[in-house]
Amino acid sequence: MKSLLSAIAAAAITLAPFSGALAQSPAKTEIKVGFVPGPYIDGFKAGVEPELKKKGYTVKYYEFSTGLEANTAVFKNDIDANVMQHTVFLNSYNDRQKTDLTGIITVPTPPMGLYSTKHKKAEDVKAGATVVVPNDPVNLQRALWILRDLGWIEIKDNNPVDVTELDVVKNNKGIKIVPLENAQAPRALGDADFAAVQGNFAIYSGLKLTEAFALEKMTKPYTNVVAVRRGNAEAPWAKDIVAAYQSDTFKNAIRNDKFYAGFTLPEYFN
């Protein structure tokens, strides 16, 4: 009998760790999402959060001053996701910081536009006209593409993170290109002939996308995404965020709000 009890005890000790390994971790009930100043937090609250609440989640919002801070918070697991950047910026951040963030779904994004309070027609533009452009390479390239599509300049191909004004190889209109920090571009319209303004800065400074002198032909790499750590991309909560963006609740919230007129909409809106 003693030997039988000893065998049972030994078996229990052996099985204890195994049964613990089978135990499921508690389901995630809170999702932490980060934003920088821009239009994305309102869309999330209006159309994504209601769908997540239906599935039992609560959402905590975090606001950051810069995209670098928001990405660092995701990488350090201080937050689960952020909504504020396009894939070109995200890939550049990963390359520089040796991180592993990835986009899981694209979101409605306001395109960069060329604005003017002085000119209405392209033929009115004279040599020496000043055009304010972003002073960071990725967004500078987008601005130069707008000017190229207008036929004002010709540019050479370059890696987005290496673009400078020197990539302009022909200046057909004789315009003066003036680099400026992104957030300052709307204020420059009082002095400059034109300013290339990122969509989020444009709409929050009172500029209407639908009244831009010209809008960029936005391609998918420049449409903003929900970013998470790569290892979390297939997590149930991440898939639930994707499903919430693709829901009728979110799509109707965007379609029924004139604020989003002129935004580039993802393919799941079709």
Side-chain angles (χ1 to χ4, degrees):
M1 177 64 72
K2 184 176 181 180
S3 60
L4 179 60
L5 291 175
S6 297
I8 294 173
I13 292 172
T14 302
L15 288 173
F18 183 72
S19 61
L22 289 178
Q24 294 183 354
S25 58
K28 185 177 181 67
T29 58
E30 181 181 80
I31 299 176
K32 301 176 181 179
V33 190
F35 300 85
V36 298
Y40 306 104
I41 189 169
D42 291 336
F44 196 99
K45 288 180 177 179
V48 177
E49 183 179 6
E51 289 297 305
L52 294 175
K53 282 186 173 180
K54 291 177 185 178
K55 295 182 179 180
Y57 296 102
T58 57
V59 178
K60 285 193 71 175
Y61 294 94
Y62 295 80
E63 297 190 52
F64 299 89
S65 298
T66 69
L68 295 178
E69 293 171 339
N71 276 341
T72 299
V74 173
F75 181 67
K76 290 184 175 181
N77 290 317
D78 293 332
I79 61 176
D80 300 303
N82 65 44
V83 191
M84 55 87 196
Q85 67 197 313
H86 50 63
T87 302
V88 177
F89 181 92
L90 179 59
N91 290 343
S92 176
Y93 175 85
N94 281 334
D95 289 341
R96 292 195 311 270
Q97 304 297 327
K98 308 304 178 186
T99 51
D100 65 345
L101 308 190
T102 187
I104 56 174
I105 191 168
T106 56
V107 303
T109 307
M112 180 182 288
L114 187 69
Y115 295 86
S116 177
T117 58
K118 300 178 176 66
H119 305 286
K120 298 297 182 183
K121 299 178 181 179
E123 53 266 31
D124 294 338
V125 180
K126 306 298 182 183
T130 53
V131 182
V132 168
V133 296
N135 64 357
D136 65 286
V138 171
N139 289 308
L140 170 59
Q141 184 181 62
R142 297 167 68 190
L144 294 180
W145 282 342
I146 295 175
L147 302 181
R148 176 201 62 191
D149 291 344
L150 286 169
W152 294 1
I153 63 172
E154 295 178 18
I155 57 176
K156 64 181 181 181
D157 291 334
N158 201 348
N159 187 316
V161 299
D162 297 323
V163 171
T164 72
E165 307 93 277
L166 297 178
D167 291 319
V168 177
V169 295
K170 192 172 181 180
N171 192 333
N172 302 321
K173 278 284 189 178
I175 59 176
K176 183 179 179 181
I177 297 173
V178 183
L180 188 67
E181 197 276 323
N182 278 313
Q184 302 301 318
R187 300 177 189 174
L189 282 171
D191 299 313
D193 289 283
F194 296 90
V197 186
Q198 277 186 260
N200 58 319
F201 293 121
I203 58 181
Y204 278 101
S205 63
L207 298 171
K208 294 183 179 180
L209 300 177
T210 52
E211 296 178 0
F213 189 90
L215 289 174
E216 71 175 316
K217 298 172 183 176
M218 180 174 277
T219 56
K220 192 170 182 178
Y222 295 95
T223 304
N224 282 10
V225 299
V226 178
V228 301
R229 290 199 65 161
R230 189 171 299 277
N232 289 331
E234 297 299 319
W237 59 265
K239 290 184 176 181
D240 287 336
I241 289 177
V242 171
Y245 269 102
Q246 294 173 334
S247 69
D248 288 339
T249 301
F250 178 72
K251 288 185 280 189
N252 289 336
I254 300 302
R255 286 179 174 139
N256 295 334
D257 191 339
K258 293 181 180 179
F259 175 82
Y260 297 99
F263 275 55
T264 298
L265 299 180
E267 63 279 359
Y268 55 84
F269 270 75
N270 297 330

